[in-house]
Amino acid sequence: MSTPTPEPADRTPETPAVPTDPAVPTDPASPASPESPTHPAGDATIPVGVLDFVGIEHGESAHDALEGAIGVAQAVEAAGLRRYWVSEHHNMHSLACSAPEILVAAVAARTTSIRVGAAGIMLPNHAPFKVAETFRTLLGLYPGRVDLGLGRAPGTDPLTAHVLRRGLQVDVGSDFPGQVAELLAFLGDGFPEGHPYRKLVAAPVVDEVPPVFVLGSSPYGPQFAAINGLRTVFAHHMSPELAIGALRDYRRDFRPGPDGAEPWSAMSVLAFASDDADAVLEFEAGWSLTMQNLARGIREPLRPEDVREYAASSAFRSRRLVEEPDQRMVTGPADDVVARLRGLQERAEVDELVLVTPSIDRARRIASLEAVAAAWPR
């Protein structure tokens, strides 16, 4: 299937009157974010973030998993990494990230300085006005620390997406630009004269706009971000074969937005650092088994014994020989992992990297993230 061509987010409405389908604002404002794309001198944080799927380990309760996620965020902050983000996924027994905005609030409440965000809010599942209200509330509670990532995929299966959207038929390809435009207008200086939404206020009103990141695992996301002057994050962990080219094209094609922003990009990468060869193999096997289970419609937490058994199997060894050349995972001792990550960062011309470390063992995940932070050049 071909990738749809992105459209600018500032399309002109066909009529100033209130239409059946809400009009897209003309030239919505996009005021500068408090966080500059180039970080100021004296920022001691490492330009690396973490994307957490908030996995529920086998035998855990949801409470255990959510408390565990907060513990990961606290460890990431202590290690000096810059961001902690949570994803949005639905209809999964193995994940506890169906309400990322609530998780952002919980994590921000129990950390002090790390940037916290959703990566992302799957915008077709939500009303832009409500997203604006939610993130303004978060900024009111935790000023200067909240990031907003936007995705155009549902983050779930078609039936769940149907329920989330109250049965409405959503053409993601054509509706996403308009949704982004509305959201930017509600977050910024509002709508132009004559627009029916101009009188609305996304409350509470705050003096800050969250940094907005357009997510993507195909060229559409970076292309959309480039022509609209927005930041972008590409999911190398999903489409490693497309990541480098899409991100280099983004920087080449970037058009300054209304706030005159410079291009800013990041790339999320599957990474696990450990000197324990068995732990590395189990991490790789766990991800491979997770992908196989999802393809089969299995959404339960992995059992540790199943992962260990699969890691020792000839089927996994054969699969690993096939998968390893695509460089989907960056694993091994911390120094090797950091060297490879920095190589990817240079090739993709990205400002930051975002580590994705799904594991059946949270202690191993934390140790891996701490090892990467310790090995990262200061």
Side-chain angles (χ1 to χ4, degrees), residues 267-311:
M267 181 168 63
S268 59
V269 182
L270 280 167
F272 180 77
S274 177
D275 292 328
D276 184 340
D278 289 338
V280 170
L281 279 177
E282 288 176 17
F283 172 79
E284 294 178 1
W287 177 256
S288 180
L289 200 55
T290 295
M291 293 298 98
Q292 292 178 56
N293 284 350
L294 286 176
R296 299 168 183 152
I298 301 172
R299 295 178 169 85
E300 305 294 330
L302 293 174
R303 299 194 308 168
E305 56 268 33
D306 290 342
V307 174
R308 288 192 290 268
E309 181 180 340
Y310 183 61

Short mmCIF file of all heavy atoms in Angstrom, two decimals, residues 267-311:
data_model
loop_
_atom_site.label_atom_id
_atom_site.label_comp_id
_atom_site.label_asym_id
_atom_site.label_seq_id
_atom_site.Cartn_x
_atom_site.Cartn_y
_atom_site.Cartn_z
N MET A 267 14.69 9.38 17.08
CA MET A 267 14.44 8.05 16.56
C MET A 267 14.37 7.08 17.73
O MET A 267 15.23 7.09 18.61
CB MET A 267 15.57 7.64 15.60
CG MET A 267 15.42 6.27 14.97
SD MET A 267 16.62 6.03 13.60
CE MET A 267 18.19 6.13 14.49
N SER A 268 13.31 6.27 17.75
CA SER A 268 13.17 5.27 18.81
C SER A 268 13.79 3.95 18.35
O SER A 268 13.54 3.49 17.23
CB SER A 268 11.70 5.07 19.17
OG SER A 268 10.95 4.65 18.05
N VAL A 269 14.60 3.35 19.22
CA VAL A 269 15.39 2.18 18.85
C VAL A 269 15.26 1.11 19.93
O VAL A 269 15.35 1.41 21.13
CB VAL A 269 16.88 2.55 18.69
CG1 VAL A 269 17.70 1.33 18.25
CG2 VAL A 269 17.06 3.69 17.69
N LEU A 270 15.04 -0.13 19.51
CA LEU A 270 15.08 -1.25 20.44
C LEU A 270 16.50 -1.43 20.94
O LEU A 270 17.43 -1.64 20.14
CB LEU A 270 14.64 -2.54 19.74
CG LEU A 270 13.15 -2.78 19.56
CD1 LEU A 270 12.93 -3.92 18.58
CD2 LEU A 270 12.48 -3.09 20.89
N ALA A 271 16.71 -1.36 22.24
CA ALA A 271 18.07 -1.44 22.78
C ALA A 271 18.07 -2.14 24.13
O ALA A 271 17.17 -1.93 24.95
CB ALA A 271 18.67 -0.04 22.92
N PHE A 272 19.08 -2.95 24.33
CA PHE A 272 19.24 -3.64 25.62
C PHE A 272 20.72 -3.83 25.86
O PHE A 272 21.44 -4.44 25.04
CB PHE A 272 18.54 -4.99 25.62
CG PHE A 272 18.65 -5.73 26.92
CD1 PHE A 272 17.87 -5.38 28.01
CD2 PHE A 272 19.55 -6.77 27.07
CE1 PHE A 272 17.97 -6.05 29.22
CE2 PHE A 272 19.67 -7.46 28.27
CZ PHE A 272 18.87 -7.10 29.35
N ALA A 273 21.20 -3.32 26.99
CA ALA A 273 22.63 -3.39 27.33
C ALA A 273 22.84 -4.31 28.52
O ALA A 273 22.23 -4.13 29.57
CB ALA A 273 23.15 -1.99 27.64
N SER A 274 23.72 -5.28 28.34
CA SER A 274 24.06 -6.19 29.44
C SER A 274 25.32 -6.97 29.07
O SER A 274 25.52 -7.30 27.89
CB SER A 274 22.91 -7.17 29.71
OG SER A 274 23.27 -8.09 30.73
N ASP A 275 26.13 -7.27 30.07
CA ASP A 275 27.29 -8.15 29.86
C ASP A 275 26.89 -9.61 29.93
O ASP A 275 27.71 -10.49 29.65
CB ASP A 275 28.37 -7.86 30.92
CG ASP A 275 28.99 -6.48 30.75
OD1 ASP A 275 29.10 -6.02 29.59
OD2 ASP A 275 29.37 -5.87 31.77
N ASP A 276 25.67 -9.89 30.32
CA ASP A 276 25.16 -11.25 30.45
C ASP A 276 24.58 -11.70 29.11
O ASP A 276 23.53 -11.24 28.68
CB ASP A 276 24.07 -11.28 31.53
CG ASP A 276 23.54 -12.68 31.81
OD1 ASP A 276 23.71 -13.57 30.97
OD2 ASP A 276 22.92 -12.86 32.89
N ALA A 277 25.29 -12.60 28.44
CA ALA A 277 24.88 -13.05 27.11
C ALA A 277 23.50 -13.71 27.14
O ALA A 277 22.71 -13.56 26.20
CB ALA A 277 25.91 -14.00 26.52
N ASP A 278 23.20 -14.44 28.22
CA ASP A 278 21.89 -15.08 28.32
C ASP A 278 20.78 -14.04 28.44
O ASP A 278 19.70 -14.20 27.86
CB ASP A 278 21.84 -16.02 29.53
CG ASP A 278 22.69 -17.27 29.32
OD1 ASP A 278 22.95 -17.63 28.15
OD2 ASP A 278 23.09 -17.89 30.32
N ALA A 279 21.04 -12.98 29.19
CA ALA A 279 20.04 -11.91 29.33
C ALA A 279 19.78 -11.24 27.98
O ALA A 279 18.63 -10.91 27.65
CB ALA A 279 20.51 -10.88 30.36
N VAL A 280 20.85 -11.05 27.21
CA VAL A 280 20.70 -10.44 25.88
C VAL A 280 19.85 -11.34 24.99
O VAL A 280 18.92 -10.88 24.31
CB VAL A 280 22.08 -10.18 25.24
CG1 VAL A 280 21.93 -9.80 23.77
CG2 VAL A 280 22.82 -9.10 26.01
N LEU A 281 20.14 -12.63 24.99
CA LEU A 281 19.37 -13.56 24.17
C LEU A 281 17.90 -13.59 24.59
O LEU A 281 17.00 -13.63 23.75
CB LEU A 281 19.96 -14.96 24.27
CG LEU A 281 21.19 -15.26 23.41
CD1 LEU A 281 21.69 -16.67 23.69
CD2 LEU A 281 20.87 -15.11 21.92
N GLU A 282 17.65 -13.56 25.89
CA GLU A 282 16.26 -13.59 26.37
C GLU A 282 15.52 -12.31 26.01
O GLU A 282 14.32 -12.34 25.71
CB GLU A 282 16.23 -13.84 27.88
CG GLU A 282 16.62 -15.28 28.23
CD GLU A 282 16.69 -15.53 29.72
OE1 GLU A 282 16.14 -14.71 30.49
OE2 GLU A 282 17.30 -16.55 30.12
N PHE A 283 16.22 -11.16 26.03
CA PHE A 283 15.58 -9.93 25.58
C PHE A 283 15.17 -10.04 24.11
O PHE A 283 14.04 -9.72 23.74
CB PHE A 283 16.52 -8.74 25.76
CG PHE A 283 15.99 -7.47 25.13
CD1 PHE A 283 15.03 -6.72 25.77
CD2 PHE A 283 16.45 -7.07 23.88
CE1 PHE A 283 14.52 -5.57 25.17
CE2 PHE A 283 15.96 -5.92 23.28
CZ PHE A 283 14.99 -5.16 23.93
N GLU A 284 16.10 -10.49 23.29
CA GLU A 284 15.81 -10.62 21.86
C GLU A 284 14.70 -11.64 21.62
O GLU A 284 13.79 -11.41 20.80
CB GLU A 284 17.08 -11.04 21.11
CG GLU A 284 18.17 -9.98 21.13
CD GLU A 284 19.43 -10.44 20.42
OE1 GLU A 284 19.44 -11.58 19.88
OE2 GLU A 284 20.41 -9.67 20.38
N ALA A 285 14.76 -12.75 22.33
CA ALA A 285 13.72 -13.78 22.17
C ALA A 285 12.37 -13.26 22.64
O ALA A 285 11.33 -13.57 22.03
CB ALA A 285 14.11 -15.03 22.95
N GLY A 286 12.36 -12.50 23.71
CA GLY A 286 11.10 -11.96 24.23
C GLY A 286 10.43 -11.05 23.23
O GLY A 286 9.21 -11.13 23.02
N TRP A 287 11.20 -10.18 22.57
CA TRP A 287 10.60 -9.29 21.58
C TRP A 287 10.10 -10.09 20.37
O TRP A 287 9.01 -9.84 19.87
CB TRP A 287 11.62 -8.25 21.14
CG TRP A 287 11.08 -7.34 20.06
CD1 TRP A 287 11.37 -7.36 18.73
CD2 TRP A 287 10.14 -6.27 20.24
NE1 TRP A 287 10.67 -6.38 18.06
CE2 TRP A 287 9.91 -5.69 18.97
CE3 TRP A 287 9.47 -5.75 21.36
CZ2 TRP A 287 9.03 -4.62 18.78
CZ3 TRP A 287 8.60 -4.69 21.15
CH2 TRP A 287 8.39 -4.13 19.89
N SER A 288 10.91 -11.03 19.92
CA SER A 288 10.51 -11.86 18.78
C SER A 288 9.23 -12.62 19.09
O SER A 288 8.30 -12.69 18.27
CB SER A 288 11.63 -12.83 18.42
OG SER A 288 11.28 -13.64 17.32
N LEU A 289 9.14 -13.19 20.29
CA LEU A 289 7.96 -13.95 20.68
C LEU A 289 6.75 -13.03 20.82
O LEU A 289 5.61 -13.41 20.46
CB LEU A 289 8.24 -14.68 22.00
CG LEU A 289 7.36 -15.88 22.36
CD1 LEU A 289 7.34 -16.93 21.26
CD2 LEU A 289 7.86 -16.50 23.67
N THR A 290 6.97 -11.82 21.33
CA THR A 290 5.88 -10.86 21.43
C THR A 290 5.29 -10.54 20.07
O THR A 290 4.06 -10.51 19.89
CB THR A 290 6.38 -9.57 22.10
OG1 THR A 290 6.76 -9.85 23.44
CG2 THR A 290 5.29 -8.50 22.11
N MET A 291 6.15 -10.31 19.09
CA MET A 291 5.68 -9.99 17.74
C MET A 291 4.92 -11.17 17.13
O MET A 291 3.89 -10.99 16.47
CB MET A 291 6.86 -9.60 16.85
CG MET A 291 7.54 -8.30 17.23
SD MET A 291 6.43 -6.84 17.11
CE MET A 291 5.93 -6.65 18.82
N GLN A 292 5.41 -12.38 17.38
CA GLN A 292 4.71 -13.56 16.88
C GLN A 292 3.33 -13.70 17.53
O GLN A 292 2.33 -14.00 16.86
CB GLN A 292 5.54 -14.81 17.15
CG GLN A 292 6.82 -14.90 16.35
CD GLN A 292 7.61 -16.15 16.70
OE1 GLN A 292 7.10 -17.26 16.60
NE2 GLN A 292 8.85 -15.97 17.14
N ASN A 293 3.27 -13.46 18.84
CA ASN A 293 1.99 -13.57 19.55
C ASN A 293 0.99 -12.53 19.06
O ASN A 293 -0.21 -12.82 18.89
CB ASN A 293 2.21 -13.42 21.05
CG ASN A 293 2.79 -14.66 21.68
OD1 ASN A 293 2.87 -15.71 21.05
ND2 ASN A 293 3.21 -14.56 22.93
N LEU A 294 1.46 -11.30 18.84
CA LEU A 294 0.56 -10.26 18.35
C LEU A 294 -0.01 -10.64 16.98
O LEU A 294 -1.19 -10.42 16.70
CB LEU A 294 1.29 -8.92 18.27
CG LEU A 294 1.57 -8.22 19.59
CD1 LEU A 294 2.39 -6.96 19.36
CD2 LEU A 294 0.27 -7.87 20.31
N ALA A 295 0.83 -11.22 16.12
CA ALA A 295 0.36 -11.63 14.81
C ALA A 295 -0.69 -12.73 14.91
O ALA A 295 -1.55 -12.87 14.03
CB ALA A 295 1.55 -12.11 13.97
N ARG A 296 -0.63 -13.51 16.00
CA ARG A 296 -1.60 -14.58 16.22
C ARG A 296 -2.81 -14.13 17.02
O ARG A 296 -3.70 -14.92 17.34
CB ARG A 296 -0.93 -15.75 16.96
CG ARG A 296 0.24 -16.39 16.22
CD ARG A 296 1.00 -17.31 17.17
NE ARG A 296 2.17 -17.90 16.55
CZ ARG A 296 3.27 -18.28 17.21
NH1 ARG A 296 3.32 -18.12 18.53
NH2 ARG A 296 4.29 -18.81 16.57
N GLY A 297 -2.82 -12.86 17.42
CA GLY A 297 -3.93 -12.36 18.22
C GLY A 297 -3.81 -12.67 19.70
O GLY A 297 -4.78 -12.56 20.44
N ILE A 298 -2.61 -13.04 20.15
CA ILE A 298 -2.37 -13.35 21.57
C ILE A 298 -1.86 -12.10 22.26
O ILE A 298 -0.82 -11.55 21.88
CB ILE A 298 -1.35 -14.51 21.73
CG1 ILE A 298 -1.86 -15.76 21.01
CG2 ILE A 298 -1.07 -14.77 23.20
CD1 ILE A 298 -0.83 -16.88 20.94
N ARG A 299 -2.56 -11.64 23.28
CA ARG A 299 -2.21 -10.38 23.95
C ARG A 299 -1.94 -10.57 25.44
O ARG A 299 -2.08 -9.64 26.23
CB ARG A 299 -3.33 -9.36 23.74
CG ARG A 299 -3.52 -8.95 22.28
CD ARG A 299 -4.68 -7.99 22.12
NE ARG A 299 -4.71 -7.40 20.78
CZ ARG A 299 -5.27 -7.97 19.72
NH1 ARG A 299 -5.86 -9.16 19.85
NH2 ARG A 299 -5.25 -7.38 18.55
N GLU A 300 -1.59 -11.77 25.84
CA GLU A 300 -1.32 -12.07 27.25
C GLU A 300 0.16 -11.79 27.57
O GLU A 300 1.02 -11.84 26.69
CB GLU A 300 -1.63 -13.53 27.54
CG GLU A 300 -3.05 -13.96 27.18
CD GLU A 300 -4.10 -13.28 28.02
OE1 GLU A 300 -3.78 -12.95 29.18
OE2 GLU A 300 -5.22 -13.07 27.53
N PRO A 301 0.48 -11.52 28.85
CA PRO A 301 1.87 -11.37 29.23
C PRO A 301 2.67 -12.65 28.95
O PRO A 301 2.15 -13.77 29.07
CB PRO A 301 1.80 -11.10 30.74
CG PRO A 301 0.42 -10.57 30.97
CD PRO A 301 -0.45 -11.27 29.97
N LEU A 302 3.92 -12.48 28.56
CA LEU A 302 4.79 -13.64 28.31
C LEU A 302 5.16 -14.30 29.62
O LEU A 302 5.43 -13.62 30.63
CB LEU A 302 6.06 -13.19 27.59
CG LEU A 302 5.92 -12.67 26.16
CD1 LEU A 302 7.27 -12.15 25.67
CD2 LEU A 302 5.41 -13.77 25.24
N ARG A 303 5.21 -15.62 29.62
CA ARG A 303 5.71 -16.35 30.79
C ARG A 303 7.23 -16.45 30.68
O ARG A 303 7.76 -16.79 29.61
CB ARG A 303 5.10 -17.74 30.86
CG ARG A 303 3.58 -17.73 30.99
CD ARG A 303 3.07 -19.11 31.39
NE ARG A 303 3.58 -20.16 30.52
CZ ARG A 303 3.47 -21.46 30.77
NH1 ARG A 303 2.88 -21.86 31.89
NH2 ARG A 303 3.94 -22.35 29.92
N PRO A 304 7.98 -16.15 31.74
CA PRO A 304 9.44 -16.21 31.68
C PRO A 304 9.96 -17.55 31.19
O PRO A 304 10.93 -17.60 30.40
CB PRO A 304 9.87 -15.93 33.13
CG PRO A 304 8.75 -15.14 33.70
CD PRO A 304 7.51 -15.67 33.06
N GLU A 305 9.33 -18.64 31.60
CA GLU A 305 9.82 -19.96 31.18
C GLU A 305 9.64 -20.15 29.67
O GLU A 305 10.45 -20.82 29.02
CB GLU A 305 9.13 -21.08 31.96
CG GLU A 305 7.61 -21.08 31.89
CD GLU A 305 6.96 -20.31 33.02
OE1 GLU A 305 7.55 -19.31 33.48
OE2 GLU A 305 5.86 -20.72 33.45
N ASP A 306 8.58 -19.57 29.11
CA ASP A 306 8.38 -19.68 27.66
C ASP A 306 9.45 -18.89 26.91
O ASP A 306 9.94 -19.34 25.86
CB ASP A 306 7.00 -19.15 27.28
CG ASP A 306 5.87 -20.06 27.75
OD1 ASP A 306 6.16 -21.23 28.06
OD2 ASP A 306 4.72 -19.58 27.82
N VAL A 307 9.82 -17.73 27.44
CA VAL A 307 10.86 -16.94 26.80
C VAL A 307 12.20 -17.66 26.85
O VAL A 307 12.93 -17.74 25.86
CB VAL A 307 10.98 -15.55 27.46
CG1 VAL A 307 12.16 -14.77 26.89
CG2 VAL A 307 9.68 -14.77 27.25
N ARG A 308 12.53 -18.22 28.03
CA ARG A 308 13.81 -18.94 28.16
C ARG A 308 13.84 -20.15 27.24
O ARG A 308 14.87 -20.44 26.60
CB ARG A 308 14.02 -19.34 29.62
CG ARG A 308 14.37 -18.16 30.52
CD ARG A 308 14.85 -18.64 31.88
NE ARG A 308 13.77 -19.25 32.66
CZ ARG A 308 13.00 -18.58 33.51
NH1 ARG A 308 13.18 -17.27 33.69
NH2 ARG A 308 12.05 -19.19 34.19
N GLU A 309 12.72 -20.86 27.17
CA GLU A 309 12.66 -22.03 26.30
C GLU A 309 12.82 -21.62 24.83
O GLU A 309 13.54 -22.28 24.07
CB GLU A 309 11.33 -22.75 26.51
CG GLU A 309 11.16 -24.00 25.66
CD GLU A 309 9.83 -24.69 25.89
OE1 GLU A 309 9.21 -24.44 26.94
OE2 GLU A 309 9.41 -25.47 25.01
N TYR A 310 12.17 -20.54 24.45
CA TYR A 310 12.27 -20.08 23.06
C TYR A 310 13.69 -19.60 22.75
O TYR A 310 14.22 -19.85 21.66
CB TYR A 310 11.26 -18.97 22.80
CG TYR A 310 11.25 -18.48 21.38
CD1 TYR A 310 10.95 -19.33 20.33
CD2 TYR A 310 11.55 -17.15 21.09
CE1 TYR A 310 10.94 -18.88 19.02
CE2 TYR A 310 11.53 -16.68 19.78
CZ TYR A 310 11.23 -17.56 18.75
OH TYR A 310 11.24 -17.11 17.46
N ALA A 311 14.32 -18.90 23.71
CA ALA A 311 15.69 -18.40 23.50
C ALA A 311 16.66 -19.54 23.25
O ALA A 311 17.67 -19.36 22.54
CB ALA A 311 16.13 -17.58 24.70
#
